[in-house]
Amino acid sequence: MTVQIRSFLEKDFHDIQQLNEKEGWNGLVERNEETCCSWLNSEPALVAEEDGEVVGYLRGLTDGAVTLYICEILIKESHRNQGISEQLVRTAHECYPSTRVEMLATTSSHEYYENRGYRSFYGFRKSPEEMKNARS
């Protein structure tokens, strides 16, 4: 069985949401319409497929010249540690070879990226609700 990396198609969205749900990424699942809109407006948007089944994905944003930001990357648990995430990142970067790659990591995934040569950087985040409350 070989994993193929290809562009996201709207028909993949249901499978992506199932992966999100299994991972416990409830914010993406609960905001179904917004999440779908994000996929339709993201570039690159890639899926990893094996025998017709979506087993992973990468959703990114880029300016095409300086930065390729990986918004989400997720591999089905049964397919982890097979190099699929590296294939997804490599494929995304091949589309924009002059860009640097930036991504957020959780406390449980930061070591994975550090072991693959990524450097940590510092950033900040506010949710839409926090932004609304800040205006009050």
Side-chain angles (χ1 to χ4, degrees), residues 17 25-35:
Q17 285 292 68
W25 291 1
N26 298 322
L28 295 173
V29 175
E30 292 165 5
R31 297 182 66 197
N32 193 63
E33 269 187 52
E34 292 92 343
T35 302

Side-chain angles (χ1 to χ4, degrees), residues 28 34 38 46-47 60 69-70 83-84 86-87 99 109 133 136:
L28 295 173
E34 292 92 343
S38 73
L46 303 170
V47 296
Y69 175 70
I70 307 300
I84 297 171
E86 288 91 347
Q87 280 182 269
T99 60
S109 67
N133 292 338
S136 302

Side-chain angles (χ1 to χ4, degrees), residues 3-130:
V3 172
Q4 300 293 319
I5 307 299
R6 62 168 175 77
S7 294
F8 161 79
L9 302 172
E10 194 167 353
K11 71 177 182 69
D12 300 320
F13 185 68
H14 176 74
D15 296 330
I16 287 168
Q17 285 292 68
Q18 285 186 315
L19 289 173
N20 288 337
E21 187 172 12
K22 286 181 183 168
E23 191 66 19
W25 291 1
N26 298 322
L28 295 173
V29 175
E30 292 165 5
R31 297 182 66 197
N32 193 63
E33 269 187 52
E34 292 92 343
T35 302
C36 184
C37 183
S38 73
W39 273 91
L40 295 172
N41 291 292
S42 293
E43 177 60 35
L46 303 170
V47 296
E49 184 179 68
E50 181 181 65
D51 296 329
E53 176 190 8
V54 173
V55 297
Y57 70 74
L58 176 149
R59 187 177 74 81
L61 295 171
T62 186
D63 55 28
V66 176
T67 304
L68 167 59
Y69 175 70
I70 307 300
C71 303
E72 290 119 25
I73 186 167
L74 181 60
I75 308 301
K76 185 176 180 178
E77 194 167 356
S78 62
H79 286 71
R80 292 179 184 169
N81 300 311
Q82 297 177 24
I84 297 171
S85 63
E86 288 91 347
Q87 280 182 269
L88 284 163
V89 172
R90 188 173 36 255
T91 301
H93 191 252
E94 285 170 356
C95 297
Y96 307 97
S98 69
T99 60
R100 64 183 177 220
V101 175
E102 295 185 354
M103 67 182 77
L104 295 177
T106 63
T107 53
S108 61
S109 67
H110 75 90
E111 192 173 310
Y112 171 87
Y113 294 108
E114 288 171 347
N115 289 339
R116 282 157 180 79
Y118 289 89
R119 295 180 313 278
S120 65
F121 67 98
Y122 188 70
F124 297 93
R125 173 184 280 172
K126 269 191 178 182
S127 70
E129 294 79 17
E130 292 167 322

